[in-house]
Amino acid sequence: MAYAQDKYNKILIALDGTETQNQIFKRGLALALSFHADLILAQVVDMSRYDLAASYDSQLISEVCDYAGNELQLLAAEAQTAGVENVEVIIKYGTVKNTLVNDIILPNHPDMVICGDRGLSRVQYALLGSVSNFVVHNVECDVLIVKN
């Protein structure tokens, strides 16, 4: 891990498919290039959004994950073209907070995680909490939160 070092070797960018995804990716790409770091592009497909529809269409989960995977593969190709040597894409489905931390971040041991700030209102934050806040408090590496 890079806590006492001055170089990041592996950067994980947590993306969510929103309109700010490109801004978050660009920030992570710039850091990966400047540190010559490996890059992991990760996304958790939030299945709570699709639970009802998935009960009617068993292919929905697969289709949503395939779509997210295609989007991240395009970003991975852009990163490789820009000069990042090692780029990995990870797509998982489940509850965003726990799946992101327990199934993606912790097993991959990044030196830095980059994620976005959804800009929740005070009420939304009180009821839901934020993914970025959960990440900050549940991983042992540096976390960069890209503000919207």
Side-chain angles (χ1 to χ4, degrees):
M1 304 267 178
Y3 318 120
Q5 301 174 16
D6 53 343
K7 180 178 182 343
Y8 295 104
N9 295 307
K10 187 188 292 185
I11 297 172
L12 187 146
I13 305 175
L15 300 167
D16 61 3
T18 63
E19 63 277 353
T20 60
Q21 177 170 287
N22 201 40
Q23 178 184 354
I24 297 163
F25 168 74
K26 294 288 187 195
R27 185 73 50 91
L29 177 59
L31 287 168
L33 289 169
S34 60
F35 286 108
H36 305 288
D38 294 344
L39 194 57
I40 299 172
L41 305 177
Q43 183 171 344
V44 177
V45 175
D46 182 3
M47 291 319 301
S48 65
R49 295 180 180 180
Y50 303 103
D51 281 344
L52 182 60
S55 66
Y56 293 106
D57 182 0
S58 61
Q59 292 290 93
L60 182 62
I61 293 170
S62 177
E63 290 172 10
V64 171
C65 288
D66 286 348
Y67 178 80
N70 290 336
E71 292 295 308
L72 294 191
Q73 288 296 341
L74 292 172
L75 295 176
E78 184 178 333
Q80 288 175 320
T81 299
V84 178
E85 288 185 30
N86 297 310
V87 182
E88 181 180 356
V89 170
I90 300 174
I91 302 287
K92 300 268 185 187
Y93 66 90
T95 57
V96 176
K97 293 176 188 178
N98 289 320
T99 303
L100 179 60
V101 169
N102 297 320
D103 298 343
I104 298 176
I105 296 172
L106 295 179
N108 284 286
H109 308 287
D111 301 308
M112 174 185 274
V113 173
I114 301 172
C115 57
D117 178 15
R118 284 197 307 186
L120 298 176
S121 71
R122 287 180 188 228
V123 173
Q124 290 171 317
Y125 184 82
L127 294 174
L128 303 172
S130 75
V131 172
S132 56
N133 186 49
F134 188 81
V135 170
V136 166
H137 290 94
N138 288 282
V139 302
E140 296 181 2
C141 64
D142 293 346
V143 178
L144 172 65
I145 300 171
V146 178
K147 294 290 213 172
N148 187 3

